Amino acid sequence: MTRAALLVCPASGKGRAARMAGTVAARLRTAVDSLDLHVASSAEGTSALARRAVEDGVDVLVVLGGDGGAHLGVQACAGTSTALAVVPAGTGNDLATALGTLSVDDVVGALCDGSRRALDLGRVGNGTWFATVLCAGFDSAVNERANGMRWPAGPRRYDLAILAELAALRPEPLVVETEDSTLELDALLVAVGNTTSYGGGIPVCPDADPADGLFDVTVVTAAPRRTLLRMLPTLRTGRHVEHPAVRTLRAKSVRVAGPGWVGYADGERVHGLPLEVSCRSGALTAVGR
């Protein structure tokens, strides 16, 4: 018998999640034995409902929302026997993409097949978990700008935020420490990837594998603005890692430090630097292919 809970984040996708909720619930009921529906009006309420569902022992927590809602679901499910499923209804939907669940039909198919994946998670020193990418520098500034934009919807919002932030771009001293090495350099951004992508499908860490027990780390060093403009088109293909201004590392644990930078994880603000993160193998059971 499969017990599931559907957690609806009604504000996701400018109300798209709320509009989809009835249809999604009906589809999910064809694949599970029981389904409880939970709707919260705030991030705090969503977090509390997610934790309550997991404490009640549901087999699967299904989040209907964007990466923000999925991030809250990760906090509740990490290190437990409850599997996380994500039905995408937000702006970026990077975790759903990584799980291969691009629609409710994908989730239903995986539930019917019993498809489960053990995923690594990142653990920040303050106790926050993340499933996709932790970033700081230029990319976290892009996140802050994109989160404050009302238009446009979808990944295009991140593209416009990138162009806007380029005007204020300047390198800052950055220290990246791993278990094997230390980088001290002037940099524009650092991304610690458990999965490949952030910002609605930008493969900032194109070779990251969420089941190998390691992070992929991408650092963009100081470079002229015109060089970065030429590099931008390669971000969507992952070819930016071939550029001389880009350094890549693989590590089990990472400490990043830089003045004035703020860390974002799964698109959510975490804390100012310095930050210490570690890769926890198999910390999350996920529904996906």
Side-chain angles (χ1 to χ4, degrees):
M1 180 175 179
T2 301
R3 292 180 56 219
L6 173 61
L7 182 63
V8 181
C9 306
S12 294
K14 294 187 175 179
R16 181 171 174 240
R19 295 190 296 271
M20 294 170 58
T23 301
V24 168
R27 288 289 291 122
L28 290 172
R29 287 192 172 100
T30 67
V32 299
D33 297 293
S34 68
L35 180 74
D36 296 326
L37 180 63
H38 303 286
V39 183
S41 59
S42 67
E44 293 78 10
T46 300
S47 178
L49 287 173
R51 293 186 184 279
R52 190 177 308 155
V54 171
E55 289 168 0
D56 286 345
V58 296
D59 300 299
V60 181
L61 176 67
V62 184
V63 175
L64 172 59
D67 283 323
H71 179 72
L72 296 175
V74 167
Q75 309 312 305
C77 294
T80 75
S81 60
T82 298
L84 177 69
V86 182
V87 178
T91 300
N93 304 313
D94 288 300
L95 181 54
T97 301
L99 296 178
T101 55
L102 302 182
S103 69
V104 65
D105 289 337
D106 290 333
V107 172
V108 167
L111 287 170
C112 290
D113 294 343
S115 297
R116 299 286 191 276
R117 297 173 60 186
L119 258 65
D120 303 339
L121 290 177
R123 179 79 160 174
V124 186
N126 67 359
T128 301
W129 297 94
F130 68 95
T132 57
V133 178
L134 180 142
C135 63
F138 175 66
D139 39 8
S140 60
V142 168
N143 255 309
E144 292 211 316
R145 180 176 288 271
N147 288 344
M149 294 169 64
R150 293 182 171 272
W151 180 92
R156 179 66 177 158
R157 180 182 301 178
Y158 293 99
D159 293 335
L160 292 182
I162 286 171
L163 293 175
E165 284 299 324
L166 276 171
L169 184 65
R170 69 172 188 266
E172 298 282 359
L174 177 72
V175 179
V176 181
E177 297 178 58
T178 73
E179 61 269 27
D180 297 321
S181 63
T182 299
L183 286 180
E184 297 186 41
L185 70 178
D186 289 339
L188 299 169
L189 70 84
V190 57
V192 180
N194 183 51
T195 61
T196 62
S197 302
Y198 63 7
I202 298 172
V204 66
C205 300
D207 297 320
D209 179 351
D212 66 357
L214 295 169
F215 293 127
D216 279 30
V217 184
T218 299
V219 181
V220 178
T221 64
R225 193 171 281 108
R226 62 181 180 275
T227 299
L228 295 172
L229 286 169
R230 289 196 297 269
M231 190 191 300
L232 278 179
T234 67
L235 277 172
R236 285 286 178 187
T237 65
R239 297 288 300 275
H240 59 284
V241 295
E242 301 171 6
H243 195 281
V246 177
R247 304 282 296 273
T248 59
L249 305 166
R250 305 191 80 214
K252 181 80 174 174
S253 61
V254 183
R255 182 181 187 274
V256 289
W261 284 11
V262 175
Y264 268 67
D266 294 339
E268 300 297 305
R269 181 187 257 258
V270 176
H271 200 280
L273 270 57
L275 285 172
E276 296 184 13
V277 297
S278 59
C279 185
R280 305 293 180 88
S281 298
L284 179 72
T285 301
V287 173
R289 302 179 183 277

